[in-house]
Amino acid sequence: MESFANLTDEMLVKLYAGGNNGAFDILLERYEEKIFSYIFFVVHNQDVADDIFQETFMKAVVTIQQGRYVENGKFQAWITRIAHNLIIDYFRQTRNENCVSNDEVEYDLFNDIKLAETTVESKMVREQVLDDVKLLVEHLPQNQKEVVFMRYYQELSFKEIADIKGVSINTALGRMRYALLNLRKMAVKKELHLAIS
């Protein structure tokens, strides 16, 4: 299984489709934390998040085993889209229980912030800024909140976010723009410094 660790997602999918269960274990290991945190961020309920997480990977397993996986090079976006659709289903089922409507449920992943060879200090500053942002993000409208989470915490591109949400790239970018404007206003009000150097 150690030799699998260096394989791409697509290679692992092919191995798993060919009957190698260990390959899927590596895929699960790579993405379970990001997918679960995304689901929990939206539903705010541990049990519901657990259920949706399990169903997400079960759907992935079935799709791959049936030979219907065609998302070459986009495994993370694909598995996130499955989770997103299941979350929408959950909100549809609980819509009468004062839950957020489907139209307001938007998940966006933050851009890759690939800082090569960061110092301990810059890493600590970045983590503190992201923690501060996470607190402020809770006060954003749901569709802006989700874009920010996907972009910065799940490291998805705007193209991937747009695909997952079923919107245009311009819509995803617009939501991020308004989210950033709102975050800046809140940061000024709370006197927080949100720059990452």
Side-chain angles (χ1 to χ4, degrees):
M1 195 133 88
E2 288 180 9
S3 61
F4 288 175
N6 296 322
L7 297 180
T8 66
D9 293 347
E10 301 314 307
M11 291 174 178
L12 292 169
V13 168
K14 284 177 185 172
L15 283 170
Y16 180 61
N20 192 319
N21 292 335
F24 194 81
D25 293 341
I26 299 296
L27 284 169
L28 177 61
E29 196 176 291
R30 278 183 191 172
Y31 295 108
E32 62 184 333
E33 187 177 335
K34 284 185 178 181
I35 298 302
F36 182 82
S37 62
Y38 169 69
I39 295 167
F40 184 77
F41 176 79
V42 178
V43 301
H44 298 289
N45 180 299
Q46 179 78 35
D47 293 334
V48 172
D50 285 337
D51 290 345
I52 293 174
F53 176 81
Q54 293 296 331
E55 195 174 346
T56 296
F57 277 90
M58 285 308 299
K59 278 185 177 286
V61 164
V62 170
T63 301
I64 294 169
Q65 287 180 343
Q66 291 177 346
R68 295 186 291 117
Y69 175 80
V70 293
E71 303 287 329
N72 286 335
K74 299 178 180 177
F75 182 82
Q76 182 181 353
W78 176 71
I79 196 85
T80 304
R81 190 162 59 246
I82 292 173
H84 170 72
N85 291 338
L86 290 171
I87 291 166
I88 288 176
D89 290 345
Y90 164 74
F91 281 124
R92 280 191 183 127
Q93 291 165 6
T94 57
R95 155 168 59 189
N96 296 328
E97 298 173 18
N98 199 25
C99 285
V100 179
S101 76
N102 296 336
D103 292 337
E104 295 172 18
V105 177
E106 297 293 335
Y107 301 97
D108 290 322
L109 303 173
F110 285 113
N111 285 324
D112 292 339
I113 301 175
K114 294 180 178 172
L115 303 174
E117 299 182 24
T118 57
T119 64
V120 172
E121 182 185 2
S122 65
K123 186 177 179 188
M124 287 174 64
V125 168
R126 181 176 185 270
E127 286 172 359
Q128 182 60 53
V129 167
L130 290 177
D131 285 345
D132 290 343
V133 169
K134 212 167 191 176
L135 293 174
L136 295 179
V137 164
E138 286 299 320
H139 300 286
L140 290 173
Q142 190 68 21
N143 62 350
Q144 294 174 23
K145 183 191 299 188
E146 292 158 4
V147 168
V148 169
F149 185 81
M150 286 185 188
R151 187 78 175 117
Y152 291 97
Y153 296 89
Q154 289 194 311
E155 300 180 350
L156 293 180
S157 69
F158 282 109
K159 173 73 168 71
E160 290 170 325
I161 293 169
D163 288 346
I164 289 164
K165 297 304 297 170
V167 298
S168 70
I169 291 180
N170 284 343
T171 298
L173 287 167
R175 288 174 183 171
M176 177 60 79
R177 179 175 172 269
Y178 285 114
L180 293 175
L181 288 171
N182 286 328
L183 286 172
R184 283 190 191 111
K185 286 179 190 172
M186 287 188 278
V188 168
K189 192 174 179 182
K190 295 180 181 290
E191 298 181 353
L192 292 174
H193 180 67
L194 299 179
I196 300 176
S197 55

